[in-house]
Amino acid sequence: MTEIRTPRLLLRRWLPDDDLAPLADIQSDPAVMRHVGDGAPRSLDESAEDIERWEEEWDDEGFGVFAVELLGSGELAGAVGLYVPDAPPRVAGHIGVQWRLGRQFWGQGYASEAAQASLEFALQDRGIDRVVAVVAEGDTSSVKVLEKLGMEFTGEADGARLYAIDLTEYEG
């Protein structure tokens, strides 16, 4: 099982029986989901589909979105990791980084910590040399995380801001 430990977090594969209810709780919050996909909160069934899709991506691609657990409490904080975006066309098919954390975990540096670990995993464990990010217009919190990671703004497309980082120059 692929696991990464950071000072405060455990990034691991999904355990559907344990993780579904807490993920569904996180994804049912309109504030959490407002900049994800179509911005709609997700149901329990949709959250189950997300876990299934993320696990399939792990099996098919050798990378994916991690379940993010707090080391101290074992509580599921959210989902962070790598995926292959299908839109906008400029980044479709590239490898992207994404995250969504429960609102109670915002503003504590968890997104940056987990996303940085995901970038290091991409480069060191998977040999991926470039990662992109797609950020909804107005998602200033995510832009701050991307800037902390050293990702650079590369343009706009379909109402989203695009960022990228060449991991061969990444200094974590």
Side-chain angles (χ1 to χ4, degrees):
M1 176 180 270
T2 302
E3 291 186 350
I4 300 171
R5 287 183 186 270
T6 70
R8 303 179 296 163
L9 305 171
L10 173 64
L11 282 66
R12 59 170 173 75
R13 298 278 299 262
W14 292 89
L15 305 170
D17 292 341
D18 297 334
D19 295 331
L20 177 55
L23 178 67
D25 196 40
I26 290 166
Q27 294 193 139
S28 69
D29 183 341
V32 170
M33 299 305 292
R34 77 174 177 259
H35 295 301
V36 178
D38 65 3
R42 298 183 64 74
S43 69
L44 183 70
D45 288 342
E46 290 168 321
S47 293
E49 290 169 8
D50 288 338
I51 290 174
E52 185 176 328
R53 184 179 71 253
W54 293 332
E55 280 298 300
E56 284 175 4
E57 201 159 54
W58 273 106
D59 293 340
D60 295 345
E61 304 289 346
F63 60 79
V65 175
F66 291 100
V68 178
E69 180 181 308
L70 298 184
L71 279 177
S73 67
E75 188 175 7
L76 184 74
V80 178
L82 305 172
Y83 76 114
V84 179
D86 53 11
R90 265 182 57 195
V91 297
H94 291 80
I95 298 168
V97 62
Q98 69 171 334
W99 54 86
R100 64 190 72 158
L101 298 177
R103 196 182 329 187
Q104 68 270 35
F105 305 108
W106 293 1
Q108 300 175 56
Y110 293 134
S112 297
E113 188 173 326
Q116 180 176 347
S118 294
L119 291 181
E120 290 172 4
F121 170 78
L123 176 64
Q124 296 170 2
D125 291 358
R126 296 300 181 248
I128 297 166
D129 59 6
R130 182 172 172 82
V131 173
V132 300
V134 180
V135 181
E137 197 66 46
D139 187 356
T140 56
S141 296
S142 290
V143 169
K144 288 178 186 173
V145 171
L146 295 173
E147 289 172 349
K148 282 183 192 175
L149 296 172
M151 296 188 80
E152 296 182 2
F153 175 71
T154 60
E156 296 183 8
D158 301 337
R161 295 176 59 83
L162 308 178
Y163 289 78
I165 188 167
D166 180 346
L167 292 178
T168 60
E169 299 172 5
Y170 181 64
E171 297 181 16

